[in-house]
Amino acid sequence: MTATTSAAAIVSAGAVQFGNALPLSIIAGPCQLESRAHALEVASALKEIATRLNIGLVYKTSFDKANRTSASAARGIGIDQALPIFAEIRETFALPVLTDVHEIDQCARAAEAVDVLQIPAFLCRQTDLLLAAAATGKVVNVKKGQFLAPWDMANVVSKLTSSGNDRVLVTERGASFGYNTLVSDMRALPILARTTGAPVIFDATHSVQQPGGKGTSSGGEREFVPVLARAAVAVGVAGVFIETHPDPDHAPSDGPNMVPLRDFEALIRNLMAFDKLAKSGSV
């Protein structure tokens, strides 16, 4: 690759395009990869919704939740079992797939079966992890740390693009505000776009998380997911990240902030209307 210092304004993951001036695309799926059957069930439902709405969709799920609040919390099925499931989802539903990576040696392995490698917010300044993810040539979605100002992400993106990979997405997921609380500053969205040059994603479900809020697990206020998602889309973003689950109250992780699958389509329809208005030039 030829080294570059700027992120691409439009990034493609499979057939899905992300661009701050393009129509909205979605990253969605359950927090944790629970089983093959569960993953295929949710992927099938989301594919049907995306087809009906004619919206770009990247399927998201995590093979390992390495940053759980408690050491005893369920972490997922692991990379060995997950890779064939990721490949099956891509082949069966023609959906691009995104998953988190936490360690350097996971990057190349995960890249064999997914389209987007995601850097968790807590790890967004880990230089060696960023470089390993970028070296795969895959799209890298890096979440802004809850401890960073939006303009600090320019340095994070520069680390990624310095390897020659300009296929970078940046995701806003709230900022730490006191104990067990996150707040979303909508100014961060245009600042991220201006300072990084990358397509900006708004993580609507983790933005309502209450980290460690239940003592041995995180809490959340899912009723505010539509509120923040509408606000972000009205400001103007390339995409929205939404974790969804058929039964979030019984999910192994992030249940309190996930959107019930039955409510997902109506929410996306609403966001598409806001997006069309925001990008029409009449706002």
Side-chain angles (χ1 to χ4, degrees):
M1 294 183 181
T2 302
T4 179
T5 56
S6 59
I10 296 175
V11 172
S12 297
V16 179
Q17 286 193 315
F18 293 93
N20 294 325
L22 296 181
L24 189 73
S25 290
I26 301 295
I27 299 170
C31 176
Q32 191 175 129
L33 204 173
E34 300 174 29
S35 68
R36 173 182 175 273
H38 184 264
L40 293 175
E41 173 193 356
V42 179
S44 176
L46 291 176
K47 173 69 174 184
E48 290 179 8
I49 292 169
T51 300
R52 277 196 297 272
L53 299 184
N54 191 29
I55 189 169
L57 171 71
V58 173
Y59 183 79
K60 178 273 165 187
T61 194
S62 301
F63 62 83
D64 181 19
K65 300 300 294 181
N67 58 354
R68 297 303 306 276
T69 303
S70 169
S72 63
R75 288 182 51 166
I77 68 173
I79 193 168
D80 292 331
Q81 293 185 60
L83 293 181
I85 298 171
F86 292 151
E88 185 175 2
I89 290 170
R90 293 170 81 192
E91 181 177 352
T92 302
F93 303 110
L95 283 175
V97 175
L98 173 152
T99 198
D100 301 281
V101 287
H102 298 85
E103 301 174 5
I104 293 168
D105 60 3
Q106 293 176 346
C107 295
R109 292 193 65 199
E112 296 174 3
V114 305
D115 303 88
V116 184
L117 298 178
Q118 181 165 277
I119 307 297
F122 289 129
L123 301 178
C124 70
R125 288 181 51 158
Q126 295 297 105
T127 301
D128 291 340
L129 179 61
L130 292 169
L131 294 179
T136 66
K138 295 291 184 175
V139 177
V140 179
N141 180 35
V142 57
K143 290 195 170 184
K144 180 181 76 63
Q146 303 92 323
F147 45 86
L148 290 182
W151 45 84
D152 293 330
M153 286 294 286
N155 293 320
V156 174
V157 171
S158 290
K159 290 179 183 181
L160 291 164
T161 59
S162 68
S163 69
N165 186 349
D166 65 354
R167 304 173 69 205
V168 179
L169 305 172
V170 293
T171 294
E172 166 63 29
R173 48 97 15 106
S176 295
F177 186 78
Y179 299 131
N180 306 123
T181 305
L182 299 172
V183 295
S184 292
D185 180 359
M186 294 301 159
R187 297 175 301 174
L189 302 172
I191 292 171
L192 283 169
R194 183 174 70 245
T195 57
T196 69
V200 176
I201 312 299
F202 181 72
D203 183 343
T205 44
H206 287 100
S207 291
V208 302
Q209 189 183 64
Q210 296 169 322
K214 291 191 171 183
T216 58
S217 65
S218 291
E221 298 177 300
R222 77 167 66 102
E223 67 266 30
F224 294 118
V225 170
V227 176
L228 292 183
R230 288 193 300 266
V233 172
V235 171
V237 289
V240 176
F241 177 111
I242 300 174
E243 289 188 336
T244 184
H245 192 284
D247 186 10
D249 289 334
H250 293 93
S253 58
D254 276 356
N257 46 269
M258 278 198 283
V259 172
L261 187 57
R262 64 182 177 272
D263 298 332
F264 184 82
E265 182 168 356
L267 174 58
I268 300 306
R269 285 185 183 276
N270 192 241
L271 296 182
M272 291 175 70
F274 272 72
D275 181 67
K276 184 176 181 179
L277 181 61
K279 293 173 182 173
S280 68
S282 60
V283 180

